[in-house]
Amino acid sequence: MKVLMFGWEFPPHISGGLGTACYGLVKGMAHHNQDIIFVVPKLWGDEEPLADFVNASDVTIDYREKRFKKFWKNLTYLEVSSFLVPYLGPDEFKKYTDYAIHDRTDVDESVFSNKFEFSGKYGKDLMMEVSRYALVAAHIAKSKEHDIIHAHDWLSFPAGIAAKEISGKPLVAHVHATEFDRSGESVNQVVYDIERAGMHAADHIVAVSQLTKNIIIKKYGIPASKVTVLHNAVLDASIIKSSYKKKVPEKIVTFLGRITFQKGPEYFVEAAKKVIERDPNVRFVMAGNGDLLNRMIDRVAELRMGTKFHFTGFLKGDDVDHMYAISDVYVMPSVSEPFGISPLEAVRHNTPVIISKQSGVAEVLNNAIKVDFWDIDSTADAIFALLHYDGIAKMFKELGTEELKKLKWEHVAEKLVNVYQKTLSQKP
């Protein structure tokens, strides 16, 4: 089977969990000898050769073809005045300015038959790149032989729709997060409309959790029979024994992720205050960046715990591994987390985890302490217990290690192949 897959990023050049999930899935598909054509807006040249990569920036479009003129005429642009990543809170979305339908058939043809140079990033021209990516996708679908199309999240949904319209092949839409996860009920209407269009155009939908599937059914009007849940996994289930040692005597409790509404950083800060009141010999670390960072810094100052609370900024590579290695407890208090791979990575480092019940990973990680994101008292009690009762911490470490063995990307890929086969069999 030949799969034409559209993503927005691929390791090592990523901004979050979306690229990591794409990598794991492609690697798992290779384990099952699937032929993947993986398209991204921009390749950097150091991607692991797991698929037939296509750099959208290298594709030449001839707009004089009637079908491409139609796509160009109906592209929707959204002007973005700020940095944008796939998962954002409402504060960032408020910086969007305007969108309009552009009819570009009046542009001189000398502009056409050219390549688009995609940035591959999430800047102010993101929606123009999303639209142009769809145009390039139509050309790729016309020129590359394939059996099925797979598009990851809203950034790639227009590309998936365009590819389906050109080739007539079935489309699988993979939902890693929804606009309701990013923004609560204060959704950005344009992004929601793109998501909804992609889901309705798809022949089948893959959701990363039952939590996400429920949102898809309730908020996007999709029948349950059209959605399959495939939980994310870990690239390597083995336990990491790091030689990296912490340089402070206190216990360390860590939050690692985007500092946005979705991740619930304020609940981590408030729980930290309650723990420090009971035991001042604890340090808390918030690793990451996001639109709520300054607000969290201000709140830590207000609570007078600046000497016990540290902000690292965005971490990557070895720094992430070092952070997990020196942590005594990992906390993920997400308000709405479609899945959440980071707790699994913490378990790999033999670190006990506390996760919110409002997360997809709670569906597969049974041996973790689960709390409601808003219940800071329960979160503080759980942190205190894991720090002070060695037997409890040891139990969760051992049981979590066993659970990881079941969460492999090749298992997810096997289930995905079954989804492909079922989708193809239902296509008239």
Side-chain angles (χ1 to χ4, degrees):
M1 187 185 308
K2 184 165 285 191
V3 184
L4 178 58
M5 189 173 288
F6 294 95
W8 196 259
E9 58 182 27
F10 200 85
H13 302 279
I14 62 174
S15 69
L18 178 61
T20 301
C22 287
Y23 175 80
L25 194 59
V26 169
K27 195 166 187 176
M29 295 288 280
H31 184 83
H32 292 282
N33 299 314
Q34 297 300 305
D35 195 355
I36 307 292
I37 303 167
F38 196 95
V39 186
V40 286
K42 184 179 181 66
L43 288 175
W44 301 88
D46 53 355
E47 293 81 5
E48 189 175 337
L50 296 170
D52 176 11
F53 283 103
V54 176
N55 186 356
S57 296
D58 288 341
V59 176
T60 301
I61 301 295
D62 187 347
Y63 296 88
R64 290 168 295 192
E65 282 201 39
K66 185 177 180 180
R67 286 179 295 181
F68 294 143
K69 274 191 176 182
K70 183 185 72 171
F71 279 116
W72 182 252
K73 182 181 176 71
N74 293 304
L75 291 181
T76 300
Y77 289 167
L78 174 62
E79 299 297 333
V80 182
S81 60
S82 63
F83 178 77
L84 181 63
V85 295
Y87 319 103
L88 282 182
D91 288 353
E92 288 293 321
F93 277 128
K94 287 177 183 176
K95 297 177 184 177
Y96 289 168
T97 55
D98 187 28
Y99 75 100
I101 303 296
H102 290 247
D103 184 347
R104 298 300 296 271
T105 55
D106 59 331
V107 179
D108 191 310
E109 280 196 348
S110 64
V111 177
F112 299 145
S113 300
N114 289 329
K115 299 174 184 176
F116 291 126
E117 182 61 37
F118 293 93
S119 70
K121 297 181 180 179
Y122 306 96
K124 62 184 180 65
D125 296 324
L126 177 67
M127 284 307 301
M128 183 176 287
E129 292 205 354
V130 168
S131 299
R132 287 175 169 173
Y133 190 40
L135 199 66
V136 173
H139 180 84
I140 293 170
K142 176 177 175 286
S143 60
K144 292 275 188 179
E145 181 183 339
H146 59 282
D147 301 303
I148 197 165
I149 302 160
H150 188 144
H152 292 278
D153 256 3
W154 71 272
L155 292 163
S156 299
F157 283 176
I161 294 171
K164 177 182 177 178
E165 189 162 336
I166 284 290
S167 71
K169 301 297 184 181
L171 168 64
V172 173
H174 202 140
V175 181
H176 297 262
T178 71
E179 179 61 0
F180 293 92
D181 296 305
R182 292 181 289 267
S183 305
E185 293 300 320
S186 303
V187 299
N188 179 280
Q189 190 62 42
V190 177
V191 177
Y192 169 81
D193 289 343
I194 292 173
E195 290 180 330
R196 190 175 187 279
M199 294 182 201
H200 281 268
D203 297 272
H204 201 78
I205 297 168
V206 171
V208 294
S209 64
Q210 184 63 45
L211 179 73
T212 302
K213 178 175 179 176
N214 293 342
I215 294 173
I216 290 170
I217 295 167
K218 182 179 179 181
K219 301 292 189 179
Y220 296 84
I222 303 295
S225 59
K226 189 177 174 178
V227 188
T228 297
V229 174
L230 296 182
H231 293 105
N232 286 335
V234 289
L235 294 170
D236 186 348
S238 62
I239 297 299
I240 298 173
K241 294 182 179 180
S242 175
S243 59
Y244 193 82
K245 303 297 182 183
K246 63 182 178 182
K247 297 177 174 60
V248 294
E250 299 97 333
K251 296 290 182 70
I252 294 176
V253 182
T254 298
F255 169 109
L256 194 154
R258 292 180 307 279
I259 305 176
T260 62
F261 159 83
Q262 178 192 355
K263 297 294 185 178
E266 61 267 45
Y267 302 104
F268 181 76
V269 171
E270 299 301 328
K273 177 61 175 176
K274 290 182 174 292
V275 173
I276 290 172
E277 287 174 346
R278 297 166 69 180
D279 181 2
N281 294 314
V282 182
R283 289 181 184 264
F284 287 81
V285 176
M286 183 167 283
N289 283 326
D291 57 292
L292 295 185
L293 175 59
N294 289 337
R295 191 184 303 180
M296 294 304 100
I297 293 172
D298 290 343
R299 183 56 179 156
V300 167
E302 287 175 4
L303 294 173
R304 295 182 175 275
M305 55 180 184
T307 59
K308 295 294 182 181
F309 204 108
H310 308 272
F311 295 90
T312 69
F314 180 74
L315 299 181
K316 61 181 180 179
D318 290 341
D319 289 337
V320 175
D321 290 334
H322 293 164
M323 194 67 250
Y324 284 130
I326 65 175
S327 298
D328 296 282
V329 177
Y330 178 80
V331 184
M332 189 187 77
S334 298
V335 173
S336 179
E337 185 71 54
F339 188 77
I341 293 177
S342 58
L344 301 182
E345 293 299 325
V347 172
R348 285 194 65 210
H349 287 80
N350 217 22
T351 303
V353 301
I354 300 169
I355 55 179
S356 76
K357 295 177 181 177
Q358 293 74 26
S359 65
V361 73
E363 298 169 15
V364 297
L365 194 57
N366 296 315
N367 293 295
I369 297 179
K370 302 172 188 178
V371 297
D372 289 306
F373 70 87
W374 45 262
D375 193 344
I376 58 175
D377 289 315
S378 293
T379 302
D381 288 343
I383 293 171
F384 189 86
L386 288 172
L387 292 178
H388 291 85
Y389 301 104
D390 292 340
I392 296 176
K394 182 180 179 182
M395 178 188 71
F396 280 112
K397 288 178 182 179
E398 292 175 351
L399 294 176
T401 299
E402 289 301 311
E403 281 193 301
L404 279 186
K405 297 175 182 177
K406 306 172 188 175
L407 303 174
K408 296 182 178 180
W409 278 110
E410 50 261 42
H411 299 160
V412 180
E414 183 179 9
K415 294 175 183 176
L416 180 59
V417 172
N418 291 333
V419 169
Y420 288 160
Q421 292 172 340
K422 180 181 177 182
T423 304
L424 286 166
S425 69
Q426 294 174 343
K427 190 73 175 174

